[in-house]
Amino acid sequence: MKFKDYYEALGVGRDASEEEIKKAYRRLARKFHPDISKEAGAEERFKEISEAYGTLSDPDKRQAYNELGRHQAGEDFRPPPGWDSRFWQGQSHGEVDLADLFEQMGFHASQRQARPDFPMRGQDIEAVAQLSLEEVARGTEVSLERQVPQRLPDGSLGRQNQTVRIRVPKGVTEGERLRIPARGGPGSGGGPPGDVYLDIHLKPHRLFQPVGHDLYLQLPVTPWEAALGGEIEVPTLDGRVRLTVQAGAQTGQKLRLAGKGLPRRKEGAGDLYGVLQIVTPKQIGEREQELYRELASASSFDPRQSFFAGASHD
């Protein structure tokens, strides 16, 4: 069979701790997850690191793997003498893929009913949830695919796909990591199931920019709305609301709508900030031009007066 260097796949040393292996996997999983990665070969790379983590995160499988010795990745090799009797009691593994071999070792362990002191915990599942702001505001469900061991009718070992529905509560934020206990891979030999770890990423929104639980909205207003003030209609995740613009409003000024941001997990919500942008029309009719000329003639306002205040002249 061909050797696969699982330590090299995760970028860790053979003496790496369980925590170092987990951190390396999480970092690489976020980088190469097919749902978010744009790198070439991301899907194959994700499968490779998942396979490596599935073996090295299990103490018994890691011990068995370490006893295979050191080889070059892709090198043909055979397990050392006596390895079969200690870790594997299946059919000849001459044509078996190394990943399948370690997967099937899980069945071997689950069959040791005579040793109740050898339960094996199920594998944790790492996943990424790409959520819209609307889903974050109201809560949602995501579907995850997992593979579980299955004994086929002919007695051989295989895998079966299962769909797991995970409830995501409202109020999660960008970069948050949810742990959903006991929804991961099934345990064996009476062991508990693994957990699901769900990394939250927010999809870009056409209007709102989230910052924590607050939302920011670029809010265009006309020159006359900024000068005279008045009420304008503003969108929120819950629908439209009326907002008062004070006379003399300036570009960049922030208007706050309390509690109209994203909900928090326990209670309350963030705020919505409208950032004013004074927008002039690109095309105006003759009457509008006439009114602008009247305004220019009547007004003494000079926005550039400060440029020359106190300046000396030769």
Side-chain angles (χ1 to χ4, degrees):
M1 80 181 72
K2 301 289 186 182
F3 185 76
K4 297 180 179 180
D5 193 330
Y6 290 149
Y7 289 102
E8 181 180 290
L10 293 180
V12 298
R14 296 179 72 89
D15 59 348
S17 66
E18 291 183 16
E19 186 61 27
E20 289 172 331
I21 289 173
K22 182 178 291 187
K23 286 182 178 179
Y25 171 72
R26 289 175 179 173
R27 174 177 56 80
L28 293 172
R30 283 193 291 267
K31 180 178 180 181
F32 292 104
H33 195 286
D35 291 342
I36 60 175
S37 178
K38 297 182 180 180
E39 299 199 25
E43 184 172 357
E44 287 302 315
R45 186 76 174 92
F46 184 76
K47 290 179 180 178
E48 179 185 5
I49 61 179
S50 297
E51 177 184 320
Y53 181 71
T55 295
L56 299 185
S57 62
D58 182 298
D60 297 292
K61 291 183 180 180
R62 183 179 181 182
Q63 178 188 350
Y65 176 78
N66 288 342
E67 294 198 14
L68 292 176
R70 296 172 182 261
H71 306 273
Q72 294 294 324
E75 177 185 346
D76 287 318
F77 82 106
R78 293 189 63 83
W83 189 92
D84 301 61
S85 61
R86 296 181 59 199
F87 297 108
W88 174 249
Q89 295 179 1
Q91 301 172 353
S92 170
H93 47 67
E95 299 299 326
V96 177
D97 181 81
L98 185 57
D100 292 333
L101 179 62
F102 279 98
E103 180 70 21
Q104 293 177 40
M105 284 171 59
F107 283 99
H108 174 51
S110 67
Q111 292 168 356
R112 284 183 267 190
Q113 301 293 338
R115 290 188 59 186
D117 60 333
F118 197 79
M120 293 185 65
R121 182 178 179 275
Q123 185 174 342
D124 292 338
I125 295 177
E126 301 269 347
V128 176
Q130 297 272 5
L131 304 179
S132 67
L133 293 185
E134 289 78 7
E135 289 173 324
V136 168
R138 297 170 178 82
T140 188
E141 280 191 348
V142 297
S143 295
L144 304 179
E145 293 293 327
R146 69 178 185 182
Q147 288 191 331
V148 298
Q150 181 186 37
R151 180 72 66 177
L152 301 178
D154 62 1
S156 62
L157 300 171
R159 303 176 187 177
Q160 179 184 24
N161 288 330
Q162 278 189 354
T163 300
V164 182
R165 299 287 294 176
I166 301 296
R167 179 67 186 171
V168 180
K170 68 178 182 180
V172 295
T173 56
E174 171 66 30
E176 186 171 350
R177 184 176 177 82
L178 296 181
R179 173 180 172 266
I180 300 91
R183 298 302 302 276
S188 59
D195 300 332
V196 169
Y197 289 91
L198 198 61
D199 292 324
I200 303 299
H201 291 282
L202 303 185
K203 298 177 182 177
H205 196 279
R206 69 182 187 90
L207 294 177
F208 304 113
Q209 174 64 43
V211 179
H213 290 91
D214 295 331
L215 295 176
Y216 285 79
L217 168 69
Q218 296 299 314
L219 188 57
V221 294
T222 64
W224 47 92
E225 288 172 330
L228 303 175
E231 279 197 347
I232 61 174
E233 201 170 58
V234 178
T236 74
L237 291 176
D238 297 322
R240 303 178 183 183
V241 298
R242 303 290 295 182
L243 178 64
T244 299
V245 177
Q246 298 296 326
Q250 303 292 310
T251 290
Q253 183 178 343
K254 291 191 291 187
L255 304 183
R256 174 174 171 263
L257 284 169
K260 292 298 183 180
L262 295 173
R264 293 188 171 91
R265 295 283 290 277
K266 293 185 178 180
E267 60 181 16
D271 301 327
L272 171 61
Y273 292 91
V275 183
L276 296 185
Q277 303 291 329
I278 300 176
V279 180
T280 57
K282 292 183 178 181
Q283 295 181 339
I284 56 176
E286 292 184 6
R287 176 58 179 156
E288 292 169 302
Q289 293 182 39
E290 181 180 341
L291 292 172
Y292 270 115
R293 291 190 188 101
E294 289 183 22
L295 176 61
S297 177
S299 177
S300 62
F301 175 61
D302 182 1
R304 296 171 295 280
Q305 184 177 7
S306 62
F307 289 176
F308 309 104
S312 61
H313 300 276
D314 296 333

